[in-house]
Amino acid sequence: RLAQEIDGEILGDEFKGYIFRISGGNDKQGFTMKQGVLAAHRVRLLMKEGQSCYRARRSGERKRKSVRGCIVSHDISALALVIVKKGEQELEGLTDGVKPRRLGPKRANNIRKLFALSKDDDVRKYVVRREL
């Protein structure tokens, strides 16, 4: 199911010790999985503005769209996973490099919390500027 945590050893020996969370997926025809649809097959739902898997073109518009249920089955062709816990080995191109933070917090209290500053420290020296 979506949002369920799985052991990485199921996927292969190189993922031993890793824990993944299922965050999404597509079936063989490209229909996306939708959280809350407790089915392993495709269903047609009446979608409205603000729901996932649908973008309204006009105000108040509703449309019946096909989505895949949140239960993983043999029809799923692509599965999106998020690393929850890192394992013993490094995965090349995924966990071996460290990427610097591109965006930082804007509020002064959140900057203090991130860098463990006191109230007396100047927050302006620790603002994370984004690089274009």
Side-chain angles (χ1 to χ4, degrees), residues 69-127:
C70 71
I71 298 170
V72 178
S73 65
H74 59 83
D75 294 326
I76 301 296
S77 63
L79 202 59
L81 300 173
V82 176
I83 298 174
V84 175
K85 182 175 171 271
K86 203 167 146 185
E88 301 141 10
Q89 297 176 328
E90 295 285 331
L91 299 176
E92 186 179 338
L94 198 62
T95 60
D96 55 353
V98 178
K99 287 179 88 174
R101 250 191 132 118
R102 190 175 155 271
L103 297 174
K106 291 185 177 182
R107 288 191 184 164
N109 279 334
N110 291 340
I111 294 171
R112 284 189 191 103
K113 191 174 17 172
L114 177 67
F115 294 107
L117 304 174
S118 67
K119 292 265 187 192
D120 303 328
D121 294 325
D122 189 17
V123 176
R124 292 173 290 186
K125 295 178 184 173
Y126 295 92
V127 174

